[in-house]
Amino acid sequence: DDGVNGKHIIIVNDNNNQLAFVVDSLEGQEEVVIKPFNELLRNIQGFSGVTITGTGRLAIIIDVQGLVKKILMKRVVSA
């Protein structure tokens, strides 16, 4: 399935909230070791770190809970 216009939608439920993320592609599932960001990048909210995939590519690991919290905090502030 190519999703909508080549994009994919990931729906996340967090307590009573439901959010959708639009992504370019889904790469499947893989067990990885996550290396945390260095001091310069450590405070970027919504990302856990980086890993090297089985094909040798770098992949940034998204902190879904952190992104959801950040989005919900923006909703509260702008309400």
Side-chain angles (χ1 to χ4, degrees):
D1 183 355
D2 286 338
V4 178
N5 296 325
K7 307 285 185 193
H8 300 274
I9 299 171
I10 299 173
I11 298 173
V12 178
N13 291 306
D14 180 53
N15 295 327
N16 295 329
N17 301 295
Q18 191 174 60
L19 299 167
F21 294 93
V22 178
V23 297
D24 294 328
S25 65
L26 299 172
E27 297 294 327
Q29 188 172 339
E30 188 175 333
E31 285 190 37
V32 296
V33 175
I34 300 172
K35 180 153 176 66
F37 289 126
N38 64 19
E39 270 187 51
L40 268 175
L41 303 173
R42 190 168 291 144
N43 293 326
I44 298 175
Q45 292 181 332
F47 299 96
S48 297
V50 68
T51 191
I52 300 175
T53 67
T55 61
R57 294 173 55 198
L58 289 178
I60 295 175
I61 306 300
I62 297 171
D63 172 13
V64 175
Q65 281 186 315
L67 282 175
V68 168
K69 282 183 182 178
K70 186 175 181 176
I71 291 167
L72 293 176
M73 290 299 287
K74 283 188 176 184
R75 279 187 184 174
V76 170
V77 170
S78 64

